[in-house]
Amino acid sequence: MTVNSAVNDASGCPPDGARARRARELLQEERRTRVAQLTVLEHAEDAAPEEGTLARRESLQSTLEEIDAALARLDDGTYGLCEDCGDPVPEGRLEIIPYARRCVQCQQRRR
């Protein structure tokens, strides 16, 4: 099953029922992966972690926050909709970044 079929139906509506469960499974798998990466990183550090290690840890923690926010959007029925314009987040974007908050156009405006 693709992320799109797990996320939005053809009308662009947020997921419900089986699609919502599948989207939640995908996000939880992403979360487990990031937690495992963070755990390995933290256990591999010595007394003085390198700058790159610190940056990677911050990036993983930020991604975990984004995943948690996406799970909250699933709960409130706004998952798969752009937080800025309200349009559906494109299928391809959600396949790459299942926790994306914005459509490509709105994300580019924020840069």
Side-chain angles (χ1 to χ4, degrees):
M1 173 183 278
T2 66
V3 173
N4 185 52
S5 61
V7 177
N8 293 326
D9 62 16
S11 69
C13 295
D16 59 359
R19 287 190 334 268
R21 284 189 300 277
R22 180 66 182 140
R24 185 173 307 279
E25 288 171 5
L26 292 170
L27 286 163
Q28 288 171 337
E29 180 60 31
E30 286 280 334
R31 190 173 201 296
R32 283 189 295 273
T33 298
R34 296 313 192 279
V35 167
Q37 291 170 339
L38 190 57
T39 301
V40 167
L41 187 67
E42 289 173 346
H43 288 287
E45 289 180 354
D46 46 35
E50 296 177 9
E51 185 176 325
T53 302
L54 293 173
R56 180 68 178 140
R57 182 190 313 152
E58 288 176 14
S59 175
L60 287 167
Q61 289 171 333
S62 176
T63 301
L64 284 169
E65 290 170 9
E66 290 297 320
I67 292 167
D68 289 342
L71 289 165
R73 290 192 300 278
L74 258 173
D75 291 339
D76 71 19
T78 60
Y79 179 78
L81 299 176
C82 177
E83 288 186 352
D84 291 350
C85 69
D87 288 344
V89 176
E91 165 187 348
R93 181 160 175 78
L94 289 171
E95 285 180 8
I96 295 167
I97 309 170
Y99 44 87
R101 294 175 178 262
R102 293 173 186 84
C103 66
V104 175
Q105 195 171 32
C106 289
Q107 184 65 40
Q108 288 175 343
R109 280 190 219 125
R110 297 183 73 79
R111 291 185 180 171

